[in-house]
Amino acid sequence: MVSIARKNLFHDKVRFAVALAGIAFAVVLITVQLGVYLAFRANVSVLIDHTNADIWVTARGLENFDFGKPFSEKKLYEVEEVPGVAWAEKYLLAFGYWKTPAGSQETVQMVGFDPETMVGAPWNIVKGNPQDVKYFNSVFYDEAETNRLGNLPVGAETEINSHRVRVTGIIRGARSFIQSPYIFTSFKNALNLSFVNKGNTVYVLVKVAPGYSAQEVKRRIQDTVKDVDVYTSPEFSKKTEDYWMVNTGTGVALLAVALMGLLIGTVIVANTIYTSTTEHLKEFGTLKAIGASNWDLYRIIIEQALINSVIGYAVGMLVSYGAIQAFKRGHLQILLPVPVLVGIFTLTVMMCLWSSVLSIYKVTRIDPALVFKS
Amino acid sequence: MPVATQTVLRLDRASKTYGEGESAVEAVRDVSLDLEAGKFIFLMGPSGSGKTTLLMLMGCLLRPTSGSVYVFNEEVSSLDEARLPRVRRDRIGFIFQGFNLFPALTALENVEVTLNLKGYRGGEAREEARKLLTHVGLERRMDHLPEDLSGGEKQRVAVARALAGNPSIILADEPTGMLDSRTGRLITEILRDLAHEEGRLVFMVSHDPRITALADQILQIEDGHLRD
Ligand SMILES: Nc1ncnc2c1ncn2[C@@H]1O[C@H](COP(=O)(O)OP(=O)(O)OP(=O)(O)O)[C@@H](O)[C@H]1O
Ligand SMILES: [Mg+2]
């Protein structure tokens, strides 16, 4: 079979290149923005997602994980009494000022966990033993924050909130893109270093006993423990992600750029496809005279749209891949699961098909007399 | 094998008016015609007299405003728009003054794509396209793009393309208009052979008095009317 669609595309090389550039441009913007969006989303809840708890108990009215508010640790004992609770643990999150060797202050978030149970401990260790945080004012930080925190090696000392601390280890994968660096230490150390009053905790983490559902236990805690909010881990994770993505406008901004890419891409592609159709109108008329039905003509236009989208997508993904590698060097992990890639491909095809609507309209209305004009 | 006196195309008081009211143009008026297989017929007339319009009526590209058009006894003028492509595909081959070849396709592909449209697949279409191009004397230029062919060669490709699917009716609008007189005559002779040797109805618009001798019949049109 001779494909007039393909032959015509490759015949007008310049126009084909323009269309592909338009599509690839849209694909790159959408892919990178979406990838960054998903990475940011996953990143803001990274500590929740890596903590081995089913339920988070928080102070009343908390907006997200990073804005933890202290409440009495007596609540821990009330929670422990609720049927279906396998265990409950204190977990602290508090702001502090980290002194860099250069003398400047860096805001940090201290994460305090129990080194006996290791619930809420860092999960990817580069150097050191995380159980060592039980020693007086021992702290761990993420390797990606090394520069920001002043290049302090393991063994070095500095200050948090004017208390002496010692770097005991380095971890990985707990970098916050939006918030200040997380500094891991024991609950006890964190409480000492922070401005949180003794006898308080910021979170209570709960493991559900076998045979109970998280929803069920959550409801029971809500019913028995006063003045706290209770979330399952996925709920708390989503609440935190939604807060950072929606309330701060971060997600909206990222998605808006992706949408803009889609719009600009559509305009460029629609324009080139339409111009091409206009210039080939006599050929379409000739095909019609020869006996082609309108559907035969639509098929040619649609085939062109599909060829455009497949090649445009491939080029776009290639460029995106390069961009993503560059981002990775900046420690920004881009998240692009396969369903998202398939989704972007579908979007590309739809964009090209949508761009063909005007052309289809045009060939439907060809004046047959056109073919007799020389 | 010419079939004796079979009417393949008939017009019965066919008229075509473009537009409405003040600006209406009666391009073809009350034309009745009975055209038989195997005939080579010329249509002549001044510019704007309705030649192309009449050809479009015969070729099912336009429907008459009044009157009827029959192709092989089927009244095509009453068919709805969506069914006309089938009639054109099965019965009619067009040849144009400006060749109208597909510029991105080689001579062979130009014919092949037309055969594809008419239901020929893959190798079968390629084989048939070769045969048709050889038939019009283009066996050596099959793989050239139209831009690399001379006017006469282009029109031969167009003739081969019009023959794709073996239609009984060939309609040509000034096919020699862009050719020098010697080439024009060669093309006209090919068209005549399609009528006389292969039994097709070949109906051709022409201005050129030097080739009229080749025609079986010359029709004159003026202001949309056929003159006797
Ligand atoms: N689409 C149209 N709308 C309105 N008027 C038209 C249209 N097409 C043709 N006409 C008019 O109809 C008349 C016949 O036109 P037609 O093209 O059939 O003439 P022709 O004999 O083929 O002319 P030429 O020798 O210049 O090709 C002319 O007056 C022309 O202006
Ligand atoms: Mg004309």
Side-chain angles (χ1 to χ4, degrees), chain A residues 102-163:
Chain A
S104 64
Q105 301 270 26
E106 189 70 44
T107 307
V108 295
Q109 296 194 94
M110 286 172 287
V111 177
F113 60 95
D114 182 345
E116 296 297 323
T117 63
M118 294 294 277
V119 174
W123 55 95
N124 194 343
I125 313 299
V126 179
K127 268 189 202 142
N129 177 356
Q131 269 162 343
D132 291 349
V133 298
K134 66 182 177 237
Y135 299 120
F136 182 71
N137 288 0
S138 294
V139 299
F140 278 59
Y141 68 77
D142 192 291
E143 62 173 359
E145 309 284 14
T146 309
N147 271 329
R148 207 163 152 191
L149 298 177
N151 290 306
L152 291 167
V154 171
E157 292 193 343
T158 183
E159 287 173 11
I160 294 180
N161 294 344
S162 305
H163 297 285

Side-chain angles (χ1 to χ4, degrees), chain A residues 46-63:
Chain A
V46 68
L47 293 194
I48 303 169
D49 299 336
H50 278 91
T51 296
N52 174 29
D54 300 318
I55 290 174
W56 288 68
V57 180
T58 77
R60 175 71 33 102
L62 204 67
E63 283 182 299

Side-chain angles (χ1 to χ4, degrees), chain A residues 97-308:
Chain A
Y97 298 102
W98 171 283
K99 191 173 164 197
T100 66
S104 64
Q105 301 270 26
E106 189 70 44
T107 307
V108 295
Q109 296 194 94
M110 286 172 287
V111 177
F113 60 95
D114 182 345
E116 296 297 323
T117 63
M118 294 294 277
V119 174
W123 55 95
N124 194 343
I125 313 299
V126 179
K127 268 189 202 142
N129 177 356
Q131 269 162 343
D132 291 349
V133 298
K134 66 182 177 237
Y135 299 120
F136 182 71
N137 288 0
S138 294
V139 299
F140 278 59
Y141 68 77
D142 192 291
E143 62 173 359
E145 309 284 14
T146 309
N147 271 329
R148 207 163 152 191
L149 298 177
N151 290 306
L152 291 167
V154 171
E157 292 193 343
T158 183
E159 287 173 11
I160 294 180
N161 294 344
S162 305
H163 297 285
R164 183 170 294 268
V165 296
R166 183 189 193 85
V167 176
T168 325
I170 308 282
I171 56 146
R172 179 180 289 164
R175 185 195 201 186
S176 168
F177 289 121
I178 291 182
Q179 274 300 315
S180 315
Y182 292 122
I183 304 292
F184 289 84
T185 185
S186 70
F187 183 89
K188 214 168 128 196
N189 286 336
L191 199 60
N192 278 331
L193 294 168
S194 73
F195 303 117
V196 175
N197 293 332
K198 305 278 176 295
N200 280 336
T201 183
V202 170
Y203 294 112
V204 169
L205 308 185
V206 174
K207 189 78 187 169
V208 169
Y212 290 85
S213 81
Q215 281 300 337
E216 186 184 348
V217 177
K218 169 190 147 184
R219 232 168 298 123
R220 286 191 187 171
I221 299 173
Q222 273 170 337
D223 290 346
T224 41
V225 184
K226 295 280 163 285
D227 298 325
V228 292
D229 285 341
V230 189
Y231 302 96
T232 65
S233 296
E235 284 167 0
F236 195 44
S237 182
K238 183 171 184 305
K239 185 180 172 70
T240 297
E241 290 176 3
D242 286 347
Y243 177 85
W244 287 114
M245 292 302 120
V246 181
N247 293 28
T248 63
T250 310
V252 181
L254 288 167
L255 293 182
V257 174
L259 195 69
M260 217 165 67
L262 187 67
L263 286 179
I264 295 173
T266 307
V267 169
I268 296 177
V269 178
N271 188 29
T272 44
I273 290 183
Y274 184 72
T275 321
S276 160
T277 308
T278 314
E279 275 171 33
H280 291 282
L281 215 52
K282 198 165 182 179
E283 289 174 53
F284 283 111
T286 305
L287 281 166
K288 228 169 167 171
I290 282 171
S293 63
N294 276 338
W295 271 106
D296 291 319
L297 305 189
Y298 302 161
R299 213 170 308 144
I300 292 171
I301 293 172
I302 290 170
E303 188 183 335
Q304 288 190 335
L306 292 179
I307 295 173
N308 268 311

Side-chain angles (χ1 to χ4, degrees), chain A residues 324-370:
Chain A
I324 288 167
Q325 292 311 308
F327 276 117
K328 276 191 177 156
R329 257 170 267 130
H331 291 283
L332 179 55
Q333 225 42 45
I334 301 252
L335 272 189
L336 284 168
V338 173
V340 172
L341 294 177
V342 173
I344 295 174
F345 178 69
T346 313
L347 207 62
T348 312
V349 172
M350 306 243 290
M351 172 177 85
C352 292
L353 289 179
W354 178 239
S355 299
S356 306
V357 169
L358 221 57
S359 296
I360 286 179
Y361 180 83
K362 186 96 179 166
V363 297
T364 310
R365 273 155 191 76
I366 293 178
D367 177 6
L370 175 72

Side-chain angles (χ1 to χ4, degrees), chain A residues 367 369, chain B residues 18-19 25 27 45-54 173-174 207:
Chain A
D367 177 6
Chain B
Y18 292 110
V25 180
S47 183
S49 56
K51 304 182 295 294
T52 298
T53 304
L54 182 58
D173 196 4
E174 300 191 51
H207 275 308

